[in-house]
Amino acid sequence: MSPHLSSDQRRKSTGTAVFGPLRVILLLLLVLGMTACASPASIAQCRASGTSGTATGTWPLANEDYANTRDAADSLISSRNVSQLCLAWTFPVNGVSVSGAMATAPIVVDGTVYLQDLQSNVYAVDLQSGALKWNHLYNAANLGPNGVAVDQGRVFAVSSMQTIVALDAATGTQMWSRQIPSPDTQGIDQQLTAYNGTLYLSTIPGTAPDEAHYYQGGSMGILYALDEPVSYTH
């Protein structure tokens, strides 16, 4: 039997930032080797000064770890050097829904930045250069906070309000697609969580990406656990 959740209010993460309604530029600030920039500099200035450094580290989950600490414990940024940050690269994110262009932080795994916009499009970007490695475009509006999960060489994403997909992390090739809830009663608008071969998600009591009143009295969501390689159970 499926566990059920009920709520009389919209479940949104208080730590989730919703970016601008027209166009978002994703900024990655690299701090290794900082010496000369007294204020945020242009990409050309940063490269010319030799202070852009080399990007390192990971951010493998939406809130960094399974404890949701949001703590970059090994960060080199401090109150003493934050003014020396240089702009290393930018990446345009154009998929916009009623909530803007992005609703969750990117994930960084093995030198690649994975992100999803609010038209359900998934991108893989090189951490060092900001160059696009691949994208998979679904162009399906989502209210968010949607976002990807990465586990065992796969990137998992909500490709529509009722559908989950698995993509090859190296190439972006779609490996499988599964419709989860009924289009008449349930939808999916939240970031997925993957752990040790199992994908976890929750539905919401609504089916459209722009409905304002999902959570009325008696509303419920359903928790699902999906087998990452092929099938799913709930």
Side-chain angles (χ1 to χ4, degrees):
M1 180 177 293
S2 302
H4 296 282
L5 300 177
S6 63
S7 175
D8 58 0
Q9 61 185 5
R10 186 85 176 118
R11 285 177 293 147
K12 293 295 175 187
S13 172
T14 56
T16 298
V18 177
F19 295 85
L22 297 179
R23 183 179 176 90
V24 168
I25 300 296
L26 177 66
L27 305 180
L28 212 64
L29 300 177
L30 309 183
V31 300
L32 294 182
M34 300 178 302
T35 57
C37 296
S39 60
S42 69
I43 297 175
Q45 289 172 321
C46 203
R47 289 176 178 171
S49 68
T51 59
S52 59
T54 301
T56 59
T58 62
W59 194 265
L61 297 165
N63 291 319
E64 205 284 324
D65 54 25
Y66 289 108
N68 293 313
T69 63
R70 305 178 187 174
D71 180 19
D74 58 350
S75 174
L76 299 179
I77 300 174
S78 70
S79 59
R80 290 174 295 184
N81 62 27
V82 67
S83 65
Q84 301 171 21
L85 290 173
C86 284
L87 177 62
W89 51 261
T90 67
F91 182 81
V93 180
N94 298 314
V96 176
S97 76
V98 296
S99 297
M102 285 183 65
T104 51
I107 284 176
V108 183
V109 177
D110 295 333
T112 300
V113 182
Y114 299 98
L115 60 141
Q116 184 175 38
D117 65 29
L118 285 171
Q119 285 292 327
S120 306
N121 304 315
V122 181
Y123 307 86
V125 180
D126 182 77
L127 177 62
Q128 299 294 336
S129 66
L132 178 67
K133 290 186 173 181
W134 56 259
N135 60 18
H136 207 113
L137 305 181
Y138 293 100
N139 294 313
N142 197 299
L143 190 62
N146 62 345
V148 299
V150 179
D151 190 33
Q152 300 185 6
R154 296 179 175 88
V155 178
F156 303 96
V158 179
S159 62
S160 76
M161 290 289 288
Q162 281 78 41
T163 307
I164 301 295
V165 294
L167 308 175
D168 184 276
T171 66
T173 301
Q174 183 170 295
M175 304 175 72
W176 55 255
S177 174
R178 293 287 184 271
Q179 179 178 315
I180 306 301
S182 165
D184 299 328
T185 59
Q186 298 284 309
I188 309 167
D189 70 348
Q190 299 173 56
Q191 188 161 13
L192 309 174
T193 297
Y195 176 72
N196 196 29
T198 301
L199 187 66
Y200 300 93
L201 65 111
S202 174
T203 65
I204 59 170
T207 61
D210 56 356
E211 291 186 28
H213 304 290
Y214 284 132
Y215 295 97
Q216 305 298 315
S219 295
M220 69 178 183
I222 300 175
L223 296 178
Y224 287 81
L226 284 66
D227 181 56
E228 289 181 8
V230 181
S231 62
Y232 74 89
T233 57
H234 71 276

mmCIF file of all heavy atoms in Angstrom, residues 117-159:
data_model
loop_
_atom_site.group_PDB
_atom_site.id
_atom_site.type_symbol
_atom_site.label_atom_id
_atom_site.label_comp_id
_atom_site.label_asym_id
_atom_site.label_seq_id
_atom_site.Cartn_x
_atom_site.Cartn_y
_atom_site.Cartn_z
ATOM 1 N N ASP A 117 15.668 23.581 -16.147
ATOM 2 C CA ASP A 117 14.884 24.807 -16.108
ATOM 3 C C ASP A 117 13.401 24.487 -15.903
ATOM 4 O O ASP A 117 13.010 23.311 -15.781
ATOM 5 C CB ASP A 117 15.120 25.672 -17.358
ATOM 6 C CG ASP A 117 14.646 25.013 -18.657
ATOM 7 O OD1 ASP A 117 13.699 24.201 -18.630
ATOM 8 O OD2 ASP A 117 15.219 25.341 -19.724
ATOM 9 N N LEU A 118 12.572 25.510 -15.852
ATOM 10 C CA LEU A 118 11.146 25.315 -15.556
ATOM 11 C C LEU A 118 10.308 25.016 -16.794
ATOM 12 O O LEU A 118 9.084 25.048 -16.749
ATOM 13 C CB LEU A 118 10.606 26.520 -14.793
ATOM 14 C CG LEU A 118 11.053 26.546 -13.322
ATOM 15 C CD1 LEU A 118 10.685 27.858 -12.649
ATOM 16 C CD2 LEU A 118 10.448 25.379 -12.548
ATOM 17 N N GLN A 119 10.974 24.691 -17.901
ATOM 18 C CA GLN A 119 10.325 24.025 -19.030
ATOM 19 C C GLN A 119 10.787 22.571 -19.105
ATOM 20 O O GLN A 119 10.657 21.922 -20.137
ATOM 21 C CB GLN A 119 10.634 24.758 -20.332
ATOM 22 C CG GLN A 119 9.861 26.058 -20.514
ATOM 23 C CD GLN A 119 8.367 25.818 -20.725
ATOM 24 O OE1 GLN A 119 7.950 24.818 -21.306
ATOM 25 N NE2 GLN A 119 7.557 26.751 -20.244
ATOM 26 N N SER A 120 11.339 22.070 -17.993
ATOM 27 C CA SER A 120 11.744 20.666 -17.828
ATOM 28 C C SER A 120 12.961 20.275 -18.659
ATOM 29 O O SER A 120 13.302 19.089 -18.737
ATOM 30 C CB SER A 120 10.583 19.709 -18.153
ATOM 31 O OG SER A 120 9.434 20.028 -17.398
ATOM 32 N N ASN A 121 13.640 21.244 -19.284
ATOM 33 C CA ASN A 121 14.828 20.950 -20.079
ATOM 34 C C ASN A 121 16.031 20.695 -19.174
ATOM 35 O O ASN A 121 16.217 21.393 -18.178
ATOM 36 C CB ASN A 121 15.125 22.107 -21.024
ATOM 37 C CG ASN A 121 13.949 22.424 -21.921
ATOM 38 O OD1 ASN A 121 13.335 21.512 -22.487
ATOM 39 N ND2 ASN A 121 13.616 23.694 -22.057
ATOM 40 N N VAL A 122 16.844 19.714 -19.524
ATOM 41 C CA VAL A 122 17.979 19.291 -18.706
ATOM 42 C C VAL A 122 19.278 19.623 -19.441
ATOM 43 O O VAL A 122 19.398 19.388 -20.652
ATOM 44 C CB VAL A 122 17.909 17.786 -18.402
ATOM 45 C CG1 VAL A 122 19.077 17.354 -17.518
ATOM 46 C CG2 VAL A 122 16.575 17.440 -17.744
ATOM 47 N N TYR A 123 20.253 20.159 -18.694
ATOM 48 C CA TYR A 123 21.528 20.579 -19.267
ATOM 49 C C TYR A 123 22.683 19.968 -18.483
ATOM 50 O O TYR A 123 22.612 19.841 -17.262
ATOM 51 C CB TYR A 123 21.675 22.102 -19.216
ATOM 52 C CG TYR A 123 20.529 22.871 -19.822
ATOM 53 C CD1 TYR A 123 19.396 23.171 -19.063
ATOM 54 C CD2 TYR A 123 20.571 23.306 -21.139
ATOM 55 C CE1 TYR A 123 18.341 23.876 -19.607
ATOM 56 C CE2 TYR A 123 19.527 24.025 -21.691
ATOM 57 C CZ TYR A 123 18.405 24.305 -20.916
ATOM 58 O OH TYR A 123 17.359 25.009 -21.462
ATOM 59 N N ALA A 124 23.767 19.662 -19.201
ATOM 60 C CA ALA A 124 25.037 19.277 -18.596
ATOM 61 C C ALA A 124 26.089 20.263 -19.079
ATOM 62 O O ALA A 124 26.286 20.429 -20.294
ATOM 63 C CB ALA A 124 25.419 17.853 -18.977
ATOM 64 N N VAL A 125 26.766 20.934 -18.139
ATOM 65 C CA VAL A 125 27.693 22.016 -18.456
ATOM 66 C C VAL A 125 29.053 21.698 -17.845
ATOM 67 O O VAL A 125 29.137 21.230 -16.707
ATOM 68 C CB VAL A 125 27.154 23.357 -17.894
ATOM 69 C CG1 VAL A 125 28.112 24.500 -18.213
ATOM 70 C CG2 VAL A 125 25.772 23.652 -18.459
ATOM 71 N N ASP A 126 30.117 21.956 -18.588
ATOM 72 C CA ASP A 126 31.456 21.725 -18.081
ATOM 73 C C ASP A 126 31.776 22.685 -16.947
ATOM 74 O O ASP A 126 31.617 23.902 -17.090
ATOM 75 C CB ASP A 126 32.476 21.895 -19.199
ATOM 76 C CG ASP A 126 33.895 21.605 -18.737
ATOM 77 O OD1 ASP A 126 34.244 20.416 -18.604
ATOM 78 O OD2 ASP A 126 34.639 22.571 -18.487
ATOM 79 N N LEU A 127 32.209 22.166 -15.807
ATOM 80 C CA LEU A 127 32.469 22.993 -14.627
ATOM 81 C C LEU A 127 33.599 23.989 -14.866
ATOM 82 O O LEU A 127 33.567 25.109 -14.351
ATOM 83 C CB LEU A 127 32.800 22.087 -13.434
ATOM 84 C CG LEU A 127 33.177 22.789 -12.127
ATOM 85 C CD1 LEU A 127 32.025 23.640 -11.599
ATOM 86 C CD2 LEU A 127 33.591 21.759 -11.077
ATOM 87 N N GLN A 128 34.611 23.604 -15.628
ATOM 88 C CA GLN A 128 35.758 24.478 -15.827
ATOM 89 C C GLN A 128 35.463 25.628 -16.782
ATOM 90 O O GLN A 128 35.812 26.779 -16.503
ATOM 91 C CB GLN A 128 36.942 23.670 -16.362
ATOM 92 C CG GLN A 128 37.414 22.563 -15.450
ATOM 93 C CD GLN A 128 38.014 23.102 -14.156
ATOM 94 O OE1 GLN A 128 38.484 24.224 -14.088
ATOM 95 N NE2 GLN A 128 37.978 22.301 -13.107
ATOM 96 N N SER A 129 34.822 25.327 -17.915
ATOM 97 C CA SER A 129 34.688 26.310 -18.986
ATOM 98 C C SER A 129 33.291 26.899 -19.132
ATOM 99 O O SER A 129 33.126 27.948 -19.755
ATOM 100 C CB SER A 129 35.077 25.657 -20.319
ATOM 101 O OG SER A 129 34.144 24.637 -20.657
ATOM 102 N N GLY A 130 32.274 26.228 -18.583
ATOM 103 C CA GLY A 130 30.900 26.663 -18.804
ATOM 104 C C GLY A 130 30.351 26.229 -20.144
ATOM 105 O O GLY A 130 29.232 26.609 -20.517
ATOM 106 N N ALA A 131 31.090 25.411 -20.889
ATOM 107 C CA ALA A 131 30.634 24.941 -22.195
ATOM 108 C C ALA A 131 29.551 23.878 -22.034
ATOM 109 O O ALA A 131 29.611 23.041 -21.128
ATOM 110 C CB ALA A 131 31.813 24.369 -22.980
ATOM 111 N N LEU A 132 28.570 23.919 -22.921
ATOM 112 C CA LEU A 132 27.494 22.933 -22.897
ATOM 113 C C LEU A 132 28.023 21.584 -23.364
ATOM 114 O O LEU A 132 28.574 21.470 -24.456
ATOM 115 C CB LEU A 132 26.346 23.388 -23.798
ATOM 116 C CG LEU A 132 25.155 22.428 -23.908
ATOM 117 C CD1 LEU A 132 24.414 22.329 -22.584
ATOM 118 C CD2 LEU A 132 24.216 22.874 -25.023
ATOM 119 N N LYS A 133 27.855 20.565 -22.541
ATOM 120 C CA LYS A 133 28.223 19.207 -22.934
ATOM 121 C C LYS A 133 27.076 18.545 -23.691
ATOM 122 O O LYS A 133 27.278 17.896 -24.711
ATOM 123 C CB LYS A 133 28.587 18.377 -21.701
ATOM 124 C CG LYS A 133 29.898 18.773 -21.035
ATOM 125 C CD LYS A 133 30.251 17.800 -19.910
ATOM 126 C CE LYS A 133 31.629 18.071 -19.347
ATOM 127 N NZ LYS A 133 31.992 17.101 -18.273
ATOM 128 N N TRP A 134 25.882 18.665 -23.147
ATOM 129 C CA TRP A 134 24.693 18.156 -23.825
ATOM 130 C C TRP A 134 23.448 18.772 -23.205
ATOM 131 O O TRP A 134 23.510 19.327 -22.101
ATOM 132 C CB TRP A 134 24.606 16.625 -23.776
ATOM 133 C CG TRP A 134 24.647 15.968 -22.411
ATOM 134 C CD1 TRP A 134 25.718 15.374 -21.828
ATOM 135 C CD2 TRP A 134 23.566 15.842 -21.461
ATOM 136 N NE1 TRP A 134 25.383 14.879 -20.580
ATOM 137 C CE2 TRP A 134 24.065 15.156 -20.332
ATOM 138 C CE3 TRP A 134 22.229 16.242 -21.460
ATOM 139 C CZ2 TRP A 134 23.280 14.863 -19.217
ATOM 140 C CZ3 TRP A 134 21.440 15.953 -20.350
ATOM 141 C CH2 TRP A 134 21.970 15.274 -19.251
ATOM 142 N N ASN A 135 22.358 18.722 -23.916
ATOM 143 C CA ASN A 135 21.074 19.071 -23.326
ATOM 144 C C ASN A 135 20.008 18.124 -23.842
ATOM 145 O O ASN A 135 20.174 17.489 -24.888
ATOM 146 C CB ASN A 135 20.695 20.541 -23.593
ATOM 147 C CG ASN A 135 20.576 20.874 -25.064
ATOM 148 O OD1 ASN A 135 20.444 19.999 -25.913
ATOM 149 N ND2 ASN A 135 20.643 22.141 -25.389
ATOM 150 N N HIS A 136 18.951 17.983 -23.077
ATOM 151 C CA HIS A 136 17.795 17.201 -23.489
ATOM 152 C C HIS A 136 16.580 18.082 -23.246
ATOM 153 O O HIS A 136 16.247 18.398 -22.104
ATOM 154 C CB HIS A 136 17.699 15.892 -22.704
ATOM 155 C CG HIS A 136 16.994 14.813 -23.466
ATOM 156 N ND1 HIS A 136 17.615 13.665 -23.921
ATOM 157 C CD2 HIS A 136 15.718 14.728 -23.905
ATOM 158 C CE1 HIS A 136 16.747 12.912 -24.571
ATOM 159 N NE2 HIS A 136 15.582 13.535 -24.566
ATOM 160 N N LEU A 137 15.924 18.499 -24.345
ATOM 161 C CA LEU A 137 14.852 19.485 -24.276
ATOM 162 C C LEU A 137 13.492 18.795 -24.271
ATOM 163 O O LEU A 137 13.179 18.008 -25.173
ATOM 164 C CB LEU A 137 14.952 20.456 -25.454
ATOM 165 C CG LEU A 137 16.304 21.180 -25.603
ATOM 166 C CD1 LEU A 137 16.254 22.131 -26.795
ATOM 167 C CD2 LEU A 137 16.678 21.918 -24.329
ATOM 168 N N TYR A 138 12.700 19.090 -23.243
ATOM 169 C CA TYR A 138 11.349 18.542 -23.144
ATOM 170 C C TYR A 138 10.289 19.622 -23.351
ATOM 171 O O TYR A 138 9.165 19.326 -23.756
ATOM 172 C CB TYR A 138 11.156 17.864 -21.780
ATOM 173 C CG TYR A 138 12.003 16.632 -21.637
ATOM 174 C CD1 TYR A 138 13.203 16.664 -20.922
ATOM 175 C CD2 TYR A 138 11.632 15.432 -22.233
ATOM 176 C CE1 TYR A 138 13.988 15.534 -20.800
ATOM 177 C CE2 TYR A 138 12.419 14.290 -22.111
ATOM 178 C CZ TYR A 138 13.596 14.352 -21.397
ATOM 179 O OH TYR A 138 14.370 13.241 -21.284
ATOM 180 N N ASN A 139 10.615 20.862 -23.044
ATOM 181 C CA ASN A 139 9.705 21.998 -23.266
ATOM 182 C C ASN A 139 8.313 21.733 -22.698
ATOM 183 O O ASN A 139 7.302 21.905 -23.362
ATOM 184 C CB ASN A 139 9.633 22.331 -24.764
ATOM 185 C CG ASN A 139 10.961 22.835 -25.301
ATOM 186 O OD1 ASN A 139 11.597 23.701 -24.689
ATOM 187 N ND2 ASN A 139 11.397 22.294 -26.423
ATOM 188 N N ALA A 140 8.304 21.293 -21.430
ATOM 189 C CA ALA A 140 7.056 21.027 -20.703
ATOM 190 C C ALA A 140 7.064 21.872 -19.438
ATOM 191 O O ALA A 140 7.897 21.661 -18.558
ATOM 192 C CB ALA A 140 6.938 19.543 -20.360
ATOM 193 N N ALA A 141 6.161 22.833 -19.360
ATOM 194 C CA ALA A 141 6.149 23.779 -18.239
ATOM 195 C C ALA A 141 5.933 23.059 -16.916
ATOM 196 O O ALA A 141 5.141 22.111 -16.817
ATOM 197 C CB ALA A 141 5.066 24.825 -18.447
ATOM 198 N N ASN A 142 6.663 23.515 -15.884
ATOM 199 C CA ASN A 142 6.538 22.959 -14.541
ATOM 200 C C ASN A 142 6.580 24.107 -13.547
ATOM 201 O O ASN A 142 7.343 25.048 -13.714
ATOM 202 C CB ASN A 142 7.664 21.959 -14.265
ATOM 203 C CG ASN A 142 7.387 21.062 -13.081
ATOM 204 O OD1 ASN A 142 7.234 21.523 -11.958
ATOM 205 N ND2 ASN A 142 7.325 19.761 -13.335
ATOM 206 N N LEU A 143 5.769 24.024 -12.510
ATOM 207 C CA LEU A 143 5.732 25.069 -11.498
ATOM 208 C C LEU A 143 6.968 25.038 -10.608
ATOM 209 O O LEU A 143 7.389 26.056 -10.072
ATOM 210 C CB LEU A 143 4.461 24.913 -10.648
ATOM 211 C CG LEU A 143 4.115 26.043 -9.694
ATOM 212 C CD1 LEU A 143 3.869 27.340 -10.446
ATOM 213 C CD2 LEU A 143 2.881 25.682 -8.858
ATOM 214 N N GLY A 144 7.575 23.864 -10.442
ATOM 215 C CA GLY A 144 8.757 23.723 -9.603
ATOM 216 C C GLY A 144 8.395 23.638 -8.120
ATOM 217 O O GLY A 144 7.238 23.804 -7.727
ATOM 218 N N PRO A 145 9.396 23.337 -7.272
ATOM 219 C CA PRO A 145 10.829 23.293 -7.555
ATOM 220 C C PRO A 145 11.304 21.970 -8.141
ATOM 221 O O PRO A 145 11.686 21.065 -7.399
ATOM 222 C CB PRO A 145 11.462 23.549 -6.196
ATOM 223 C CG PRO A 145 10.487 22.940 -5.213
ATOM 224 C CD PRO A 145 9.114 23.138 -5.820
ATOM 225 N N ASN A 146 11.279 21.844 -9.457
ATOM 226 C CA ASN A 146 11.813 20.647 -10.099
ATOM 227 C C ASN A 146 13.338 20.704 -10.095
ATOM 228 O O ASN A 146 13.940 21.686 -9.680
ATOM 229 C CB ASN A 146 11.271 20.517 -11.524
ATOM 230 C CG ASN A 146 11.692 21.687 -12.398
ATOM 231 O OD1 ASN A 146 12.139 22.724 -11.905
ATOM 232 N ND2 ASN A 146 11.535 21.550 -13.692
ATOM 233 N N GLY A 147 13.959 19.660 -10.559
ATOM 234 C CA GLY A 147 15.416 19.612 -10.570
ATOM 235 C C GLY A 147 15.883 18.178 -10.696
ATOM 236 O O GLY A 147 15.118 17.237 -10.469
ATOM 237 N N VAL A 148 17.155 18.010 -11.035
ATOM 238 C CA VAL A 148 17.666 16.680 -11.347
ATOM 239 C C VAL A 148 18.237 15.995 -10.115
ATOM 240 O O VAL A 148 18.536 16.627 -9.105
ATOM 241 C CB VAL A 148 18.761 16.762 -12.435
ATOM 242 C CG1 VAL A 148 18.189 17.345 -13.714
ATOM 243 C CG2 VAL A 148 19.960 17.578 -11.945
ATOM 244 N N ALA A 149 18.379 14.684 -10.228
ATOM 245 C CA ALA A 149 19.126 13.861 -9.275
ATOM 246 C C ALA A 149 20.118 13.040 -10.087
ATOM 247 O O ALA A 149 19.819 12.646 -11.223
ATOM 248 C CB ALA A 149 18.194 12.955 -8.478
ATOM 249 N N VAL A 150 21.291 12.786 -9.520
ATOM 250 C CA VAL A 150 22.333 12.035 -10.224
ATOM 251 C C VAL A 150 22.761 10.855 -9.361
ATOM 252 O O VAL A 150 23.046 11.009 -8.170
ATOM 253 C CB VAL A 150 23.552 12.934 -10.527
ATOM 254 C CG1 VAL A 150 24.638 12.130 -11.234
ATOM 255 C CG2 VAL A 150 23.145 14.124 -11.388
ATOM 256 N N ASP A 151 22.802 9.683 -9.970
ATOM 257 C CA ASP A 151 23.221 8.487 -9.241
ATOM 258 C C ASP A 151 23.656 7.423 -10.232
ATOM 259 O O ASP A 151 22.979 7.193 -11.247
ATOM 260 C CB ASP A 151 22.066 7.957 -8.381
ATOM 261 C CG ASP A 151 22.499 6.853 -7.415
ATOM 262 O OD1 ASP A 151 23.644 6.891 -6.940
ATOM 263 O OD2 ASP A 151 21.675 5.953 -7.131
ATOM 264 N N GLN A 152 24.803 6.792 -9.971
ATOM 265 C CA GLN A 152 25.284 5.632 -10.719
ATOM 266 C C GLN A 152 25.270 5.862 -12.228
ATOM 267 O O GLN A 152 24.818 5.018 -13.007
ATOM 268 C CB GLN A 152 24.454 4.396 -10.340
ATOM 269 C CG GLN A 152 24.541 4.075 -8.860
ATOM 270 C CD GLN A 152 23.818 2.790 -8.477
ATOM 271 O OE1 GLN A 152 23.331 2.048 -9.322
ATOM 272 N NE2 GLN A 152 23.765 2.517 -7.187
ATOM 273 N N GLY A 153 25.758 7.039 -12.653
ATOM 274 C CA GLY A 153 25.896 7.315 -14.073
ATOM 275 C C GLY A 153 24.624 7.716 -14.781
ATOM 276 O O GLY A 153 24.597 7.781 -16.022
ATOM 277 N N ARG A 154 23.577 8.004 -14.015
ATOM 278 C CA ARG A 154 22.313 8.432 -14.606
ATOM 279 C C ARG A 154 21.878 9.777 -14.031
ATOM 280 O O ARG A 154 22.143 10.079 -12.875
ATOM 281 C CB ARG A 154 21.210 7.399 -14.361
ATOM 282 C CG ARG A 154 21.451 6.043 -15.012
ATOM 283 C CD ARG A 154 20.304 5.093 -14.689
ATOM 284 N NE ARG A 154 20.423 3.818 -15.372
ATOM 285 C CZ ARG A 154 21.080 2.765 -14.896
ATOM 286 N NH1 ARG A 154 21.665 2.849 -13.707
ATOM 287 N NH2 ARG A 154 21.145 1.647 -15.581
ATOM 288 N N VAL A 155 21.190 10.540 -14.863
ATOM 289 C CA VAL A 155 20.573 11.792 -14.430
ATOM 290 C C VAL A 155 19.064 11.590 -14.499
ATOM 291 O O VAL A 155 18.528 11.212 -15.544
ATOM 292 C CB VAL A 155 20.989 12.970 -15.334
ATOM 293 C CG1 VAL A 155 20.303 14.250 -14.890
ATOM 294 C CG2 VAL A 155 22.496 13.152 -15.328
ATOM 295 N N PHE A 156 18.378 11.838 -13.380
ATOM 296 C CA PHE A 156 16.936 11.622 -13.300
ATOM 297 C C PHE A 156 16.229 12.972 -13.240
ATOM 298 O O PHE A 156 16.683 13.898 -12.560
ATOM 299 C CB PHE A 156 16.588 10.781 -12.080
ATOM 300 C CG PHE A 156 17.289 9.453 -12.065
ATOM 301 C CD1 PHE A 156 18.467 9.281 -11.348
ATOM 302 C CD2 PHE A 156 16.798 8.380 -12.788
ATOM 303 C CE1 PHE A 156 19.137 8.073 -11.343
ATOM 304 C CE2 PHE A 156 17.461 7.159 -12.791
ATOM 305 C CZ PHE A 156 18.631 7.002 -12.069
ATOM 306 N N ALA A 157 15.107 13.073 -13.955
ATOM 307 C CA ALA A 157 14.417 14.351 -14.032
ATOM 308 C C ALA A 157 12.927 14.130 -14.254
ATOM 309 O O ALA A 157 12.493 13.073 -14.723
ATOM 310 C CB ALA A 157 14.986 15.204 -15.170
ATOM 311 N N VAL A 158 12.148 15.148 -13.909
ATOM 312 C CA VAL A 158 10.719 15.181 -14.215
ATOM 313 C C VAL A 158 10.589 15.809 -15.596
ATOM 314 O O VAL A 158 10.884 16.981 -15.786
ATOM 315 C CB VAL A 158 9.953 16.006 -13.168
ATOM 316 C CG1 VAL A 158 8.472 16.049 -13.500
ATOM 317 C CG2 VAL A 158 10.180 15.441 -11.772
ATOM 318 N N SER A 159 10.158 15.023 -16.590
ATOM 319 C CA SER A 159 10.078 15.537 -17.958
ATOM 320 C C SER A 159 8.719 16.137 -18.281
ATOM 321 O O SER A 159 8.571 16.837 -19.286
ATOM 322 C CB SER A 159 10.396 14.429 -18.971
ATOM 323 O OG SER A 159 9.446 13.378 -18.880
#
